[in-house]
Amino acid sequence: MARMTLGTRNVSIEFPGVKALNDVNFEVSTGEIRALVGANGAGKSTLMKVLAGANPDYTGEVYLNGETVELRTTMAAKKLGIQIVYQEVDMALVPTLSVAENVMLGDMILTADKKPLVSWPEMRRRAKEVLDRLHINVNVRTLVQDLSLAQKQMVLIARAIVNKCNFLILDEPTAPLSDSETAELFRLVRHLQETENIAIIFISHRIHEILQICQKYTVMRNGEIVDTSDVTDKTTTREIIEKMLGRSFEENFPKETVPIGEKVFEVSHLSGADGKVNDVSFYVRKGEIVGIAGLVGAGKSELCKTIFGAYEKTGGTITLNGKELKIKIPTDALRQGIALVPEERRKEGVLVGETVTFNLSAAALDKFCSGAFVIKSRTEENARKYVDSLGIKTPSINQKVANLSGGNQQKVAVGKWMAADCDVYIFDEPTKGVDVGAKQDIFRLINDITRQGNSVIYASCENSELLSITDRIYVLFDGHVMAELETAKTGEDEIMHYSVGSTTQYA
Amino acid sequence: MQAKLKNPMADKGGKSTLRRLLDWAAVIALVLCFLVFYLVKGNRFLSVNNMINILRAMSITTVFAIAATVTMAPDGFDMSACTLASCSAYVFMSMYLWYGLPLILCVLITIAITLVMYQLTMFLILVCKIPDMLATCALMFVHQGLGQWYIGGGAVSTGMRTPYGAQPVRVKLEPAFSAIGREPWLIIIMLACVLVAHIFLEYTKHGRFIYAMGGNKQAAKLSGINVKAYRYLAGMITAVFIAIGGMLVASRGSSAQVMCCDNYLMQALAAVFVGRSVGGAEKPNALGTLIGAMLVSTLENGLTICAVPFYVLPAVKGAVLALALIAAYATKKEQ
């Protein structure tokens, strides 16, 4: 089997305002399992999309065995034997079709011109052949919707190697898998590496898995490759994390110190959200900002939404001011003094088809009503107040929120709750996709909340933000609380240590 | 002070002239209709009597369309509205003729029974979580069968025996009964329905919550709006309008014929769709629905005066709906 090499030379990608990739030189050869690590937004996925032909606007060049190749379409990449399995497996599979059809889908498209008719026995035979080759035990007639997540992933990997495949990119494949499923996936990956002349690029946040299965690792930070090293017996989690974070680049946010009072809000042994929240206990004191840290997929959003009643709670209690809360739906949470600013603002946070005025009064509309009737002047007065105090940039308070920029939509999503006078405000990734200026406004607002004696739960995967604004931090991994940290006595490396699932004490 | 326009992103709020024109397309079309028919037929079209003709012809459709508007505001749908209305008409007529109850009592009983029957719709949608379209599709047949079982398969009208062979208590309709289905009351009732729906949807908090839910159910839920309760409320209001529509049909026809309301569904939906984009509302709204219904009715009336055969009129109705939908969707960006 000839050894093949795929690489990039000075590849850059610019999105409006940011350099997502900056002169990246990356190389991988068949027969190795390569880890690609980096913090959120480091450019891992962007780079892999270039290799998969899904990012046609790159500058620089990509080469295969020394020759320059053009990877401007996904088809071009596939023809060169570069296959990618994205993290969201459900996006790539057709749930109502059988395993055989899903495995052979790519092949059917490639050969559609030559073979207009489908031969079912042939298709099933070939699909079974591939699955057997990978020792995957799934009936080819099963509908994909009946498979487990791990099996779906196997089906996608099988699809990738039906046709020519020399480079297989797995984007966070283990994030949704259980331990035994992960072990099975690793068996498959090793098998591919040993027998199929394939290079596997393995993107993961779970450093201990990388130490277990990869021969080499490449670290990315801020759109650049900062290091490529061999994985040896001496490689440690800490070493990789330090490379991922680089020197500390903490941003300065105005954290005000407000007197912290009694314990007001407590969650004990909370479970729910289909198992994504697992026996979580924590408390919040009056005037305190408590951070919820953890990587993408750790269960932060699920925790926030379970508290708020948007996901089903299967166990545990939620207490506010010594009273146990009964929350079945979000309406109950709001009535009892809990507000949630959700992560996906366009989908969940704001009503894009409604005006700024309505959005800002939606959570407390009763306050602006006389009987059942909405008093327009009162809602407008409220809207003007928050447009001013939050610095929401809008041509008019009667503008539809759909027409505002992302940062301003987020301010509306936050401002919506200000009129509601809640005791506990839960923020889920409030700074996602907003610029530094809007971030400052949001932080100022959070400070205002605590100054009024209310409490804040702040979930974010931006550890530098957590460190600058919170009083205490709970670190989540796989829906469990791994650690409780005093913000003043901790740092990014310690948060990361627990975020990647380490159970050992951080030294 | 209001924040000034600083952000280039916000500029997208300014609509293009074409978009603005399309927002008012239904109103412009209505005005054009009046102009053209006036120019062609003069005062035969633009007489008080003919205006009343137009209003009378559109009134029943409009009431059903208002029912559909209230259902569709929270992003619901009801295919079985008009089959249920037939049941309401059967009940109304039978209470009046068979049992000889006072008119006001007949009205209240009809509304009550329609509300009770709507619980089934709500059960399938809210408890069994069947998508609205499918649940009401099934219910359409249920209503047809149940309704006709109640009336014994035949119409309820004066001079007919009850299905059990008994003599009806009333043998003729009183003037008050017939007045409901004639102008001015028919038209007044229609306008009252439009007004009530308009005030409810536009000016009460319940209406705003229902629209919020229609715009984005997930965001509405996470804003603390009890989305199930509001879908239920919208359903109950729909049921009242359905009952009113059924009673108008019975009074207008002086009888409850078998499946007398079933055919109103599609016209009612057409009126809602035409009215959806009126004034850039981009959601089902009562006034838009009124304009939609009026446009269809005016066209039919004018074309009839111009001696276009009645059997061609559905094609015109269809064309109006298609044009309205083109105005609403063709200029949208691909998702």
Side-chain angles (χ1 to χ4, degrees):
Chain A
M1 285 187 287
R3 191 177 146 94
M4 296 169 79
T5 304
L6 177 70
T8 65
R9 200 170 291 130
N10 300 333
V11 162
S12 298
I13 285 210
E14 250 178 279
F15 293 128
V18 274
K19 249 194 158 168
L21 289 181
N22 194 3
D23 281 342
V24 170
N25 295 302
F26 177 77
E27 193 178 270
V28 64
S29 300
T30 55
E32 71 170 305
I33 303 177
R34 171 76 65 91
L36 187 59
V37 297
N40 296 311
K44 306 180 300 274
S45 292
T46 314
L47 177 61
M48 290 304 110
K49 277 189 181 165
V50 169
L51 295 182
N55 246 343
D57 300 322
Y58 65 88
T59 56
E61 59 176 329
V62 181
Y63 58 89
L64 179 63
N65 298 332
E67 278 174 53
T68 304
V69 289
E70 285 295 314
L71 291 178
R72 306 290 171 177
T73 64
T74 51
M75 197 52 92
K78 281 185 180 143
K79 282 190 175 144
L80 292 171
I82 306 164
Q83 305 277 356
I84 183 163
V85 176
Y86 290 109
Q87 193 182 356
E88 294 90 9
V89 290
D90 288 314
M91 302 272 281
L93 291 167
V94 187
T96 51
L97 297 185
S98 67
V99 168
E101 287 161 283
N102 272 287
V103 170
M104 300 304 291
L105 191 62
D107 184 67
M108 272 200 277
I109 295 165
L110 279 175
T111 59
D113 298 336
K114 284 171 253 159
K115 288 197 288 181
L117 292 182
V118 171
S119 159
W120 281 93
E122 155 100 1
M123 179 159 69
R124 293 204 183 104
R125 186 185 56 72
R126 285 189 59 197
K128 188 167 183 326
E129 214 175 80
V130 176
L131 293 171
D132 284 349
R133 211 164 95 205
L134 299 176
H135 305 288
I136 300 170
N137 190 15
V138 178
N139 188 334
V140 291
R141 288 170 192 259
T142 316
L143 296 187
V144 162
Q145 63 190 11
D146 298 330
L147 299 183
S148 72
L149 208 69
Q151 287 173 316
K152 285 180 186 171
Q153 219 164 39
M154 306 272 175
V155 167
L156 275 181
I157 293 173
R159 179 197 284 175
I161 66 159
V162 166
N163 293 101
K164 187 170 138 184
C165 177
N166 296 105
F167 300 92
L168 179 62
I169 302 162
L170 300 176
D171 191 354
E172 290 209 47
T174 59
L177 301 186
S178 68
D179 287 349
S180 59
E181 287 170 336
T182 303
E184 177 63 16
L185 179 76
F186 285 176
R187 180 197 63 72
L188 179 63
V189 167
R190 285 207 187 91
H191 177 80
L192 287 174
Q193 176 214 6
E194 284 157 15
T195 62
E196 306 268 347
N197 193 30
I198 290 180
I200 289 136
I201 304 170
F202 186 86
I203 303 182
S204 180
H205 282 305
R206 304 181 171 198
I207 311 293
H208 61 278
E209 291 178 359
I210 287 165
L211 298 179
Q212 197 182 331
I213 192 165
C214 300
Q215 281 100 39
K216 273 177 146 185
Y217 66 90
T218 296
V219 184
M220 289 190 78
R221 192 169 69 222
N222 295 339
E224 292 175 20
I225 287 182
V226 290
D227 183 51
T228 298
S229 307
D230 290 331
V231 176
T232 64
D233 294 343
K234 292 191 192 86
T235 314
T236 61
T237 306
R238 183 168 189 160
E239 176 186 341
I240 297 179
I241 288 172
E242 273 170 9
K243 285 176 187 164
M244 277 164 67
L245 298 174
R247 59 197 161 70
S248 130
F249 48 103
E250 275 169 45
E251 295 162 77
N252 259 330
F253 295 115
K255 163 79 179 148
E256 270 177 47
T257 36
V258 296
I260 289 174
E262 296 286 288
K263 196 190 275 186
V264 284
F265 180 77
E266 183 160 21
V267 166
S268 54
H269 305 291
L270 185 74
S271 295
D274 287 329
K276 289 191 186 114
V277 176
N278 234 320
D279 195 23
V280 171
S281 301
F282 70 94
Y283 67 89
V284 188
R285 288 171 294 187
K286 191 175 165 70
E288 190 179 34
I289 304 176
V290 164
I292 305 289
L295 297 166
V296 175
K300 302 188 298 295
S301 284
E302 288 81 0
L303 173 61
C304 296
K305 284 190 182 164
T306 308
I307 294 171
F308 196 59
Y311 283 152
E312 202 191 351
K313 181 178 98 175
T314 50
T317 56
I318 300 167
T319 332
L320 179 64
N321 295 325
K323 207 180 87 202
E324 191 182 329
L325 303 184
K326 287 201 172 54
I327 299 172
K328 281 222 167 73
I329 53 172
T331 315
D332 302 335
L334 175 61
R335 289 227 174 95
Q336 296 174 90
I338 297 176
L340 169 72
V341 179
E343 180 180 10
E344 303 275 343
R345 61 173 164 262
R346 286 187 73 90
K347 257 163 53 195
E348 307 174 334
V350 288
L351 300 154
V352 290
E354 301 282 346
T355 60
V356 171
T357 305
F358 180 73
N359 269 282
L360 287 173
S361 55
L365 203 55
D366 278 332
K367 275 174 66 179
F368 312 111
C369 284
S370 161
F373 289 91
V374 180
I375 308 296
K376 213 174 158 206
S377 57
R378 284 194 216 159
T379 60
E380 284 175 350
E381 192 188 322
N382 172 68
R384 269 186 221 107
K385 182 172 145 200
Y386 288 108
V387 162
D388 262 6
S389 69
L390 291 174
I392 298 170
K393 291 186 187 100
T394 173
S396 139
I397 54 169
N398 293 317
Q399 181 68 271
K400 280 190 182 168
V401 169
N403 299 322
L404 303 187
S405 72
N408 284 304
Q409 286 184 354
Q410 182 67 349
K411 287 186 197 169
V412 172
V414 175
K416 179 171 88 173
W417 295 105
M418 294 306 117
D421 291 333
C422 290
D423 297 317
V424 178
Y425 290 81
I426 306 172
F427 289 84
D428 188 7
E429 303 281 356
T431 58
K432 192 172 155 188
V434 306
D435 60 41
V436 180
K439 246 184 219 183
Q440 300 276 0
D441 289 333
I442 291 169
F443 286 140
R444 200 169 310 127
L445 190 98
I446 290 174
N447 281 333
D448 286 348
I449 294 172
T450 55
R451 204 179 316 119
Q452 285 157 15
N454 298 317
S455 311
V456 171
I457 298 170
Y458 189 97
S460 176
C461 55
E462 301 289 337
N463 292 337
S464 59
E465 283 179 23
L466 288 172
L467 286 169
S468 56
I469 191 161
T470 62
D471 297 295
R472 276 182 308 127
I473 297 170
Y474 291 89
V475 187
L476 283 196
F477 175 78
D478 267 355
H480 292 279
V481 172
M482 302 300 287
E484 177 190 345
L485 308 169
E486 284 278 337
T487 304
K489 293 179 195 153
T490 186
E492 273 194 77
D493 37 2
E494 190 177 11
I495 296 175
M496 195 55 100
H497 174 82
Y498 291 110
S499 297
V500 296
S502 317
T503 45
T504 51
Q505 194 70 30
Y506 180 80
Chain B
M1 226 204 58
Q2 244 165 256
K4 293 264 165 19
L5 174 75
K6 287 175 203 152
N7 191 329
M9 284 290 292
D11 217 354
K12 284 180 188 164
K15 286 186 174 179
S16 67
T17 322
L18 174 70
R19 192 67 246 173
R20 266 178 225 275
L21 268 176
L22 289 175
D23 284 346
W24 293 101
V27 179
I28 295 167
L30 188 60
V31 173
L32 276 180
C33 278
F34 270 86
L35 267 177
V36 170
F37 289 131
Y38 176 64
L39 289 176
V40 176
K41 286 289 165 184
N43 284 335
R44 261 192 72 199
F45 175 75
L46 207 64
S47 65
V48 173
N49 273 338
N50 197 46
M51 290 303 107
I52 290 175
N53 283 340
I54 290 175
L55 287 171
R56 187 200 303 126
M58 68 184 272
S59 54
I60 292 174
T61 305
T62 307
V63 172
F64 286 130
I66 288 296
T69 306
V70 177
T71 309
M72 283 153 81
D75 198 27
F77 201 77
D78 190 355
M79 301 253 288
S80 65
C82 290
T83 50
L84 179 58
S86 294
C87 295
S88 309
Y90 306 153
V91 170
F92 182 55
M93 207 66 200
S94 64
M95 288 299 146
Y96 190 73
L97 287 178
W98 297 354
Y99 307 112
L101 298 178
L103 185 58
I104 183 71
L105 201 56
C106 294
V107 170
L108 294 176
I109 290 176
T110 307
I111 291 175
I113 290 183
T114 312
L115 283 171
V116 170
M117 288 188 69
Y118 215 79
Q119 305 305 314
L120 185 60
T121 313
M122 293 287 92
F123 174 76
L124 291 186
I125 292 172
L126 294 178
V127 182
C128 304
K129 295 175 185 139
I130 306 172
D132 292 36
M133 177 88 94
L134 307 179
T136 54
C137 186
L139 283 173
M140 214 160 66
F141 301 112
V142 172
H143 293 153
Q144 284 179 341
L146 277 182
Q148 289 185 53
W149 168 67
Y150 172 68
I151 57 171
V156 188
S157 62
T158 49
M160 307 267 283
R161 283 167 179 270
T162 69
Y164 330 104
Q167 276 302 333
V169 175
R170 269 207 182 90
V171 287
K172 71 180 201 28
L173 304 173
E174 282 161 26
F177 182 92
S178 305
I180 296 175
R182 304 225 156 81
E183 68 275 0
W185 287 108
L186 181 66
I187 296 166
I188 291 170
I189 291 170
M190 164 187 78
L191 293 177
C193 287
V194 173
L195 191 67
V196 167
H198 176 71
I199 290 173
F200 173 75
L201 288 174
E202 296 298 323
Y203 298 108
T204 69
K205 61 180 178 190
H206 310 297
R208 300 321 300 169
F209 286 155
I210 284 173
Y211 274 138
M213 185 186 158
N216 183 343
K217 200 170 159 188
Q218 191 62 18
K221 191 176 162 192
L222 289 176
S223 300
I225 296 171
N226 188 340
V227 289
K228 280 197 169 178
Y230 277 103
R231 176 68 186 89
Y232 183 79
L233 178 66
M236 290 306 102
I237 292 167
T238 302
V240 174
F241 285 125
I242 288 173
I244 293 172
M247 291 187 285
L248 290 182
V249 171
S251 171
R252 174 133 199 85
S254 301
S255 64
Q257 298 294 325
V258 173
M259 301 200 279
C260 52
C261 304
D262 295 14
N263 284 335
Y264 282 99
L265 177 70
M266 287 304 160
Q267 325 191 30
L269 293 181
V272 182
F273 285 128
V274 171
R276 232 186 100 90
S277 59
V278 169
E282 285 166 48
K283 50 198 170 201
N285 65 98
L287 294 184
T289 298
L290 178 71
I291 287 166
M294 194 180 273
L295 178 61
V296 173
S297 177
T298 308
L299 261 177
E300 282 188 337
N301 177 283
L303 291 172
T304 310
I305 291 176
C306 295
V308 175
F310 71 90
Y311 44 80
V312 185
L313 293 181
V316 178
K317 256 191 262 182
V320 171
L321 177 58
L323 284 173
L325 295 178
I326 288 170
Y329 290 100
T331 52
K332 272 201 177 153
K333 269 190 260 165
E334 291 276 340
Q335 288 291 315

